Amino acid sequence: MPDEMGPGHSRRKERSRQAILAATRALVAEEPYEKVTVEAIAARAGVGKQTIYRRWPSKSAVVFAALLALSEDADGESITLPDTGDVEADLKLVMRASVEEFADPSFDRLIRALTAEVATDAALADEYREKLAKPLDKAKKARLRSAQRAGQLDAEADLDLVLEVLYAPLFQRWLHRSGPLTAAYADSLVDVTLRAFGP
């Protein structure tokens, strides 16, 4: 096997990938999204434009990859939510972290850019759903099922609806900038959800 296809080649490819994703996140945080180009990403990452296009077909695909990389588990383990036996405490911990994430300016600009692209790109929407939304929902539902088994949540509750009641108000407030994203707000969403779907 030629040397360029050996372990060193793989390491260089991974370093290049990480540089591209980091450059994408940095540029989206710094510039209006429409001004971010594949050329600018390549220049910031120190790679050629074709290096990006060999891996991703468009700017929106690179932006999604940059977001997805933030949720990658370093150990390769599946996503799990905390399960201390107290569903209220666990959900408040998760929702407070979600609120903090949406309130972070760099994450805000990245997810707003992706949201705009997903709204008009059906293929990207499918990829987003399969690679990010579904795994996250699976982990959330696993925690809710544990709460059902413990008698802390209605055993007949529709878990898709539970998640919508829990997360949709947060997404709407963030999307429309209609109110502050605070820990108190996160706690209130958990309280409302548990009152609605309690045993």
Side-chain angles (χ1 to χ4, degrees), residues 17-198:
R17 186 182 80 93
Q18 293 295 340
I20 292 165
L21 299 181
T24 302
R25 288 190 291 268
L27 284 168
V28 170
E30 294 167 10
E31 301 283 345
Y33 180 67
E34 59 274 10
K35 291 188 177 180
V36 176
T37 63
V38 170
E39 289 80 0
I41 294 169
R44 175 70 68 94
V47 301
K49 183 172 64 173
Q50 289 309 313
T51 299
I52 294 177
Y53 281 123
R54 275 195 296 270
R55 186 181 288 264
W56 297 284
S58 64
K59 179 178 78 170
S60 59
V62 184
V63 171
F64 175 61
L67 176 65
L68 189 62
L70 294 176
S71 67
E72 289 176 350
D73 188 287
D75 298 324
E77 297 177 357
S78 59
I79 302 166
T80 56
L81 268 62
D83 189 349
T84 65
D86 182 342
V87 70
E88 179 182 348
D90 293 343
L91 289 180
K92 284 182 175 178
L93 182 67
V94 170
M95 290 302 290
R96 285 183 176 204
S98 297
V99 163
E100 283 183 19
E101 194 170 46
F102 276 95
D104 180 281
S106 59
F107 180 82
D108 173 83
R109 293 187 70 162
L110 185 64
I111 194 66
R112 282 186 190 279
L114 182 65
T115 299
E117 294 286 358
V118 164
T120 58
D121 185 334
L124 184 64
D126 288 343
E127 188 177 9
Y128 175 85
R129 192 164 47 250
E130 290 299 320
K131 292 186 177 178
L132 188 60
K134 279 188 177 180
L136 285 172
D137 282 352
K138 181 179 178 182
K140 292 168 187 174
K141 287 179 184 179
R143 179 62 189 93
L144 294 177
R145 287 191 191 96
S146 175
Q148 287 178 317
R149 289 192 296 271
Q152 298 175 338
L153 203 64
D154 181 355
E156 301 301 317
D158 179 335
L159 298 187
D160 288 310
L161 184 58
V162 175
L163 290 179
E164 287 176 7
V165 170
L166 187 59
Y167 282 92
L170 167 59
F171 185 78
Q172 178 172 301
R173 179 175 285 207
W174 165 79
L175 184 63
H176 297 294
R177 307 181 198 270
S178 58
L181 299 178
T182 63
Y185 179 63
D187 289 352
S188 71
L189 294 178
V190 174
D191 292 339
V192 166
T193 302
L194 292 181
R195 282 199 298 272
F197 297 100

